[in-house]
Every structure is written in C-alpha cells, then in structure tokens.
Amino acid sequence: MGSERITLLSKRELDKMRQAGQVAAELLNYLDTLVKPGVSTKELNDAAEQWTRDRGARSAPLGYGEPPFPGSICTSVNEVICHGIPNEKQILQDGDIINIDVTPIVDGYHGDTSRTFIVGSPSPLAQKLVAVTEASMWRGIEAVQPGGRIGDIGAAIQEYAEAEGFSVVRDFVGHGVNRVFHTPPQIPHYGTRGKGKRLRPGMVFTIEPMINEGTHEAEIQSDGWTALTKDRKLSAQFEHTVAVTADGVEVLTKLA
Ligand code: MF3
Ligand code: CO
Ligand code: CO
C-alpha cells in the first residue's frame, strides 16, 4: 500500500479528463431517455455502444478484466450491487431500480460515472434508498479538499448512509482513473476521518458508493462479474469522477 504511486495529472491531462467526463455525462443523459418498462438491458447496452462509437469514443468495460467483461456498460438491477451484465432476456419492469455505469474512453482518457434510475413507480423504500445513495455520494464529494485525507470521504458517506438505516458495501471501492481505468488510490466508501493518504491537487479518482437496504455483504455470481447482495435485498449506486483542485474539488462527470 505504502509504495502505491498516485499519479498527479497536469493541466493538459486534466483537460482531457474533463472532455471524457463530459462525454460520459452526456451518455448517461441519453440512456436516461431510454429507461422504461419493457426495454431490455441488452437494448440499453447496444444503444450505448452505438452512441459511443458515433462520438469516436470506445467503451472501456467491453473486454475488460478476467474473464473479459461481455458488455459495453454495466446494468445492475435491484439486488445487483454492481457489474451487472446486459442481457436480452432481462426486461425492465415497473418498480425496478437500475444502475447504469458507463466509461467511455475519449482520446485515451476515461470518464467513469453511474446513476441509479427508477423505472416507473418503485416502493417508497426503493425511492429512499436511491435518494440516500445519491446524497451519500455528494457528502463524499464535499469531503474532498487538498490537504484532507482519503478517510474523510468514506467517513462522510458511511455516517450518513448508516444513520438513514442502510449499509455500505465494502468489497468494491472508488479508484484512481486517468489513461488507466483502475489505478491507485483506492477510495473506500466507509472509514475514519483523518486517516488514509493525503489528498493533493491533481489527484483524480472516482467516488462511487454502493448502499444496501440490508446486509453490506456481497456475493459474485458464477459469470465471474455480477455482484449481488447476500440477502437479495436492494442495492443502489451513484458514481462521479472528481479531481482534487488547489481549493477544493471539481466534478469532471457533471455536465458543465
Ligand atoms: N465502471 C466500473 C467502475 O466504476 C467498472 C466496470 S468494470 C467492468 O469502476 F468490466 F465491469 F466493466
Ligand atoms: Co463506473
Ligand atoms: Co469506477
């Protein structure tokens, strides 16, 4: 851990990350218009792939990792925590919640962002989970400042989410992102204020809390990717890519 190198991006590289982040944000807005009952997660995948290619960009998830991820986006429905694989047999139903996680590569740089969308009219509990998860991400983002610590971020998220009666996933964390999809540092969404590595201007990483209705424990399906809650209760997630600046934080995947 101590020898992990955290890249500080130059002004030029930050500008590339800004451009990738804007493309990622636009892609999520486009997918938002397609999410409705009756659409399959494969249709969402194919629309995202086409949109990305039309932009001259590439989908980072496709073929990523081991086993190679078989989709262009992650589509994580209800009890799926993250890394859900798009499937033509999976049709969105009224009341579902679905996280869509996109990562276009634009001119070599990754824009990594996700949102949980509500399909039709979900239960009050599902609506609360989604609202608390998004707000927890913003608490984490607001905890970022130069000279602060990585633990400040997780502490802010965890305190808020647990006070609302939910749990924070431990097995997946935020990450540095630049020309490389996943690079140091790791950004846990739980932890202790004042602990962990110091935040410095030029660091770029994701904050992507996964918040569960029940237990925080996860299990991976035999496809090697799909992560679901052990108790099969609901899970939601939101993600932004952020940069530490001289006086605070810049959210690169928020539409300017
Ligand atoms: N976009 C995800 C993240 O936030 C990673 C997806 S890896 C994949 O880190 F292979 F599943 F696409
Ligand atoms: Co992501
Ligand atoms: Co990420």
Side-chain angles (χ1 to χ4, degrees), residues 101 103 112-113 173-175 177 181-182 206-208 237 239-241:
D101 192 335
T103 313
D112 189 3
T113 184
V173 297
H175 52 91
V177 58
F181 196 172
H182 296 99
T206 71
I207 298 178
E208 51 179 300
Q237 181 179 24
E239 173 176 27
H240 271 310
T241 298

Side-chain angles (χ1 to χ4, degrees), residues 132-141 157 207 209 238-240:
V132 166
T133 303
E134 182 169 22
S136 80
M137 175 192 65
W138 285 109
R139 299 247 175 159
I141 290 171
I157 292 167
I207 298 178
F238 283 79
E239 173 176 27
H240 271 310

Side-chain angles (χ1 to χ4, degrees), residues 93-213:
Q93 312 285 329
D94 182 68
D96 284 346
I97 60 172
I98 176 175
N99 175 276
I100 303 182
D101 192 335
V102 302
T103 313
I105 305 174
V106 180
D107 207 4
Y109 290 79
H110 293 71
D112 189 3
T113 184
S114 84
R115 272 187 234 154
T116 298
F117 299 95
I118 286 180
V119 183
S121 29
S123 69
L125 180 64
Q127 294 190 37
K128 181 185 172 188
L129 177 66
V130 171
V132 166
T133 303
E134 182 169 22
S136 80
M137 175 192 65
W138 285 109
R139 299 247 175 159
I141 290 171
E142 284 158 13
V144 174
Q145 51 172 334
R149 301 270 183 181
I150 284 178
D152 302 350
I153 300 167
I157 292 167
Q158 182 178 22
E159 277 167 16
Y160 173 69
E162 290 182 354
E164 294 292 338
F166 298 131
S167 71
V168 177
V169 171
R170 313 298 204 253
D171 290 1
F172 303 93
V173 297
H175 52 91
V177 58
N178 42 63
R179 296 183 72 93
V180 184
F181 196 172
H182 296 99
T183 185
Q186 294 195 356
I187 310 289
H189 306 107
Y190 55 91
T192 309
R193 215 167 258 107
K195 300 268 189 188
K197 291 205 172 68
R198 212 174 269 290
L199 300 172
R200 301 189 188 283
M203 283 186 184
V204 174
F205 50 80
T206 71
I207 298 178
E208 51 179 300
M210 287 138 277
I211 305 297
N212 293 354
E213 174 192 351

